[in-house]
Amino acid sequence: MIVKNYSRQLQILIKPSLIKVIAIFSLCCCLIVSCGQRQSINSADPNANNDRITIGTTLKLRTIDPADAYEIISGQLLQNLGDTLYTYKSGTTKLVPHLATAMPKVSQDGLTYTIPLRQGVIFHDDTPFNSAAMEFSVQRFIKNGGRPAFLLGDAVESVKATGEYELTFQLKKPFAAFPSLLTFAGICAVSPKAYEIGDGKFKPDTFVGTGRYKLAKYGSDSLKFDAFDKYWGEKPVNQGIDILLLSSSSNLFNTFRTGAIDIAYLSLDADQVRSLDEGAKLGKWQEFAAESSTVSYMTLNTKSKPLDKLEVRQAIAAAMDRPLINDRVLRGQAQPLYSLIPTTFDVHKPVFQEMYGDANMAKAKELLTKAGYSAANPFVLQIWHPSASTKRALVASTISALAKLKMDGIMQVEINSVESPTLFQNIEKGIYPAVLVDWYADFFDADNYIQPFLDCATGSAAGGCEKGASQGQGSFYYSDRVNQLIDKQRKEANPQIRKALFAEIQDILGRDVPFIPLWQDKDYTFAQKNVTGVRLEPTQSFPFWFLKKQ
């Protein structure tokens, strides 16, 4: 964090001749000090400061305990500090064994997963890794009651060490994407000597795992990772990583431009990205851009009047102008999105483009007229967004301006904001009619963009969702057919059959409009010219172990 020190200013009256003497004396001192510093640097090992990489970010770190970590920054750090059973081959979306030595052996009923484990692995505290340690890690993830505990808790009936290097999961229901779920960074191996199982027993500033880096320091404004010299696999090409947690995008922007950090990684404002992009084109530094799987969307509360009317929700969908939002607000640093499933997956189907297009104001007015609205009796859309999100405030203002300009008074937009913690505490209570938010997937599978949005355990078509995923997202959407399709795709192992199931789900999503997808992010990372090995993986991970300074 950049800290400004303030001190009192002393006003001293000095004769002009004395000023000259002091100036000459000061200049001589500066020259002596400069020469001394230059000599010290030149006489040192030229590679002495090239073995560590400094990364700056504005992402807020709450905890690094795998059983409670559920933010983007903690996930990225844990991917570098820890090892999961499965991971993805670098540069691809191919699932490969990691602490496991092979893909799981799955029972015919799809409920039992038997996984062989790697031998010769040790934890950062020198504790040997085996199936008992992995069982402990999984049990702790489920039983300690952290924010991501439901990911395994909802899916797993039991987990047991069935051999010294064999782990067996028993699932509650068949789940074809279960190996992908096991790549979630929090489901990593942790040392049984360093942690304990118990509700709420977390260690937010500690990590003892098996990964390429050991946690050497955890501070409020910085972290230090040291390369783990006993790592079982491919070791880092650097000696360690220093992470600065900066207070604002302006601090990140300026700290990078002055060369005080090697890499600027999440998050910069659109104008700052554009400025650094121009600098990269001039050869001042390097730019790395990658298609992200983070999606931004509008949640529509299907139980909130008048959004309980299908025609009203469809009218809102028709009125959206994604290309304009991407151009004016996002500065072209995203891409329009027409399904909750991003284009990263081959099952993506652009149903909102097919059904509504963009800025289809004629259709929007027709639908609102059918719902009983007119210029004399306008429909008022209340849009809420997190108060700290300048981006979403501008998106809401753009939607409001479009309605005012092109909807002939039949539709008006009212914009409201609230702090993020309050928003996410209240969204499942049905307080907000429409909300602008985003979604960063827990694991890399299309299911994670459908089940957490549209599934509902308890409810009815008439009363909406009373308990379930869609209620938690604030849409309260309920559909028997969608519930059935979600259940089928989760059981289905055949990719083509699964793709057809996802296609039908997306068609229903477009027709019923409980959510309106708006854009899919692009990730931008900037590195100084002497840094090599920057890789933004298609699965959204950022491996630090390839980074090196020339």
Side-chain angles (χ1 to χ4, degrees):
M1 184 180 293
I2 295 176
V3 180
K4 294 181 180 178
N5 294 316
Y6 296 94
S7 61
R8 294 181 180 178
Q9 294 181 346
L10 300 178
Q11 296 180 347
I12 303 175
L13 298 176
I14 304 176
K15 293 181 180 180
S17 59
L18 184 57
I19 292 176
K20 292 181 180 178
V21 173
I22 292 174
I24 294 170
F25 176 76
S26 299
L27 177 60
C28 291
C29 288
C30 288
L31 290 172
I32 292 169
V33 172
S34 298
C35 292
Q37 287 176 337
R38 186 178 295 112
Q39 183 179 5
S40 174
I41 292 172
N42 289 338
S43 62
D45 180 358
N47 295 319
N49 62 347
N50 280 349
D51 56 3
R52 297 188 70 87
I53 301 291
T54 303
I55 300 173
T57 183
T58 63
L59 298 179
K60 307 304 178 187
L61 184 62
R62 178 183 60 86
T63 180
I64 206 165
D65 190 317
D68 193 37
Y70 201 42
E71 291 81 20
I72 294 174
I73 180 64
S74 53
Q76 295 289 12
L77 298 182
L78 288 172
Q79 285 170 348
N80 288 277
L81 288 167
D83 290 325
T84 50
L85 290 168
Y86 296 96
T87 187
Y88 293 93
K89 184 178 180 181
S90 182
T92 76
T93 58
K94 182 183 178 182
L95 195 65
V96 293
H98 197 40
L99 284 180
T101 58
M103 298 307 292
K105 180 182 178 182
V106 186
S107 62
Q108 194 166 3
D109 61 6
L111 294 176
T112 305
Y113 282 68
T114 305
I115 301 173
L117 302 183
R118 191 174 297 279
Q119 301 181 32
V121 178
I122 63 170
F123 288 98
H124 297 155
D125 61 359
D126 289 334
T127 302
F129 168 80
N130 54 25
S131 59
M134 195 67 225
E135 177 190 329
F136 170 87
S137 303
V138 174
Q139 294 281 15
R140 183 176 184 271
F141 183 89
I142 296 171
K143 293 182 178 179
N144 282 33
R147 293 188 182 183
F150 72 94
L151 290 172
L152 280 185
D154 290 353
V156 174
E157 182 67 38
S158 66
V159 57
K160 293 181 181 178
T162 49
E164 188 176 2
Y165 294 99
E166 182 183 88
L167 192 69
T168 300
F169 287 93
Q170 190 72 23
L171 304 190
K172 295 177 180 178
K173 293 192 298 184
F175 183 25
F178 184 64
S180 297
L181 172 58
L182 294 178
T183 67
F184 180 72
I187 311 175
C188 60
V190 295
S191 171
K193 288 186 179 179
Y195 297 90
E196 59 183 323
I197 295 175
D199 187 28
K201 292 185 176 180
F202 301 117
K203 292 188 174 183
D205 56 358
T206 299
F207 183 83
V208 184
T210 63
R212 291 176 173 87
Y213 294 97
K214 295 177 65 174
L215 180 64
K217 174 193 172 185
Y218 184 105
S220 60
D221 58 0
S222 65
L223 294 93
K224 183 179 180 181
F225 295 179
D226 289 343
F228 182 37
D229 57 3
K230 297 179 182 179
Y231 186 64
W232 58 268
E234 181 184 7
K235 294 179 174 63
V237 297
N238 54 66
Q239 288 300 306
I241 303 292
D242 298 315
I243 298 169
L244 298 184
L245 305 174
L246 300 170
S247 60
S248 67
S249 60
S250 296
N251 278 347
L252 177 60
F253 177 71
N254 291 324
T255 305
F256 177 77
R257 288 180 74 248
T258 58
I261 58 176
D262 299 310
I263 295 173
Y265 174 67
L266 298 179
S267 293
L268 293 160
D269 291 341
D271 288 337
Q272 293 165 345
V273 170
R274 177 173 284 189
S275 175
L276 292 180
D277 171 69
E278 292 172 354
K281 290 174 180 175
L282 294 174
K284 294 181 179 180
W285 41 70
Q286 304 174 80
E287 176 186 84
F288 299 88
E291 186 179 75
S292 166
S293 295
T294 300
V295 300
S296 290
Y297 57 94
M298 182 188 294
T299 296
L300 299 183
N301 184 343
T302 60
K303 291 178 68 174
S304 173
K305 294 185 179 300
L307 299 184
D308 57 340
K309 292 184 178 181
L310 178 61
E311 294 88 356
V312 172
R313 300 197 302 272
Q314 291 177 337
I316 300 169
M320 294 300 104
D321 192 339
R322 295 167 185 80
L324 182 68
I325 290 172
N326 186 38
D327 181 54
R328 298 284 178 85
V329 179
L330 308 176
R331 305 293 192 187
Q333 296 163 22
Q335 63 173 314
L337 183 65
Y338 299 93
S339 173
L340 285 175
I341 300 176
T343 58
T344 322
F345 298 93
D346 64 358
V347 300
H348 165 84
K349 186 177 182 181
V351 288
F352 280 80
Q353 188 175 41
E354 295 168 359
M355 294 183 182
Y356 306 100
D358 283 287
N360 191 344
M361 301 307 183
K363 186 175 184 68
K365 286 185 278 189
E366 176 188 337
L367 288 163
L368 287 177
T369 301
K370 184 179 178 181
Y373 293 99
S374 63
N377 177 37
F379 159 61
V380 179
L381 173 63
Q382 289 186 22
I383 298 179
W384 290 77
H385 67 83
S387 55
S389 177
T390 304
K391 181 191 297 184
R392 280 164 181 78
L394 291 172
V395 169
S397 296
T398 301
I399 294 171
S400 176
L402 276 171
K404 188 174 183 180
L405 183 66
K406 297 187 176 183
M407 287 295 288
D408 299 332
I410 196 172
M411 175 179 169
Q412 299 175 3
V413 176
E414 179 184 301
I415 302 172
N416 303 277
S417 66
V418 64
E419 292 185 355
S420 291
T422 303
L423 186 145
F424 290 110
Q425 286 171 7
N426 290 333
I427 195 169
E428 64 181 20
K429 298 175 184 177
I431 291 175
Y432 312 116
V435 187
L436 291 173
V437 282
D438 62 0
W439 177 258
Y440 182 93
D442 299 317
F443 57 95
F444 195 77
D445 188 88
D447 172 81
N448 204 229
Y449 294 88
I450 292 297
Q451 190 276 337
F453 289 88
L454 302 176
D455 193 43
C456 181
T458 305
S460 64
C465 186
E466 297 172 9
K467 183 179 179 181
S470 70
Q471 176 255 339
Q473 291 279 3
S475 77
F476 298 87
Y477 175 71
Y478 183 89
S479 165
D480 277 330
R481 180 57 182 165
V482 169
N483 287 339
Q484 293 168 11
L485 290 168
I486 290 173
D487 191 53
K488 285 183 179 180
Q489 66 81 15
R490 290 194 133 206
K491 294 177 181 176
E492 183 56 59
N494 185 306
Q496 292 307 312
I497 297 176
R498 203 163 178 243
K499 185 175 184 178
L501 294 170
F502 277 124
E504 185 178 347
I505 292 171
Q506 290 171 93
D507 286 338
I508 297 173
L509 166 69
R511 184 193 68 208
D512 291 352
V513 201
F515 302 91
I516 301 176
L518 294 174
W519 72 88
Q520 180 177 339
D521 284 342
K522 290 181 183 177
D523 284 339
Y524 289 87
T525 296
F526 295 90
Q528 304 297 347
K529 289 195 295 183
N530 64 334
V531 175
T532 62
V534 177
R535 300 188 186 185
L536 300 180
E537 300 288 0
T539 53
Q540 291 190 268
S541 66
F542 182 18
F544 297 161
W545 56 90
F546 295 116
L547 299 173
K548 188 176 182 179
K549 282 193 285 189
Q550 298 294 337

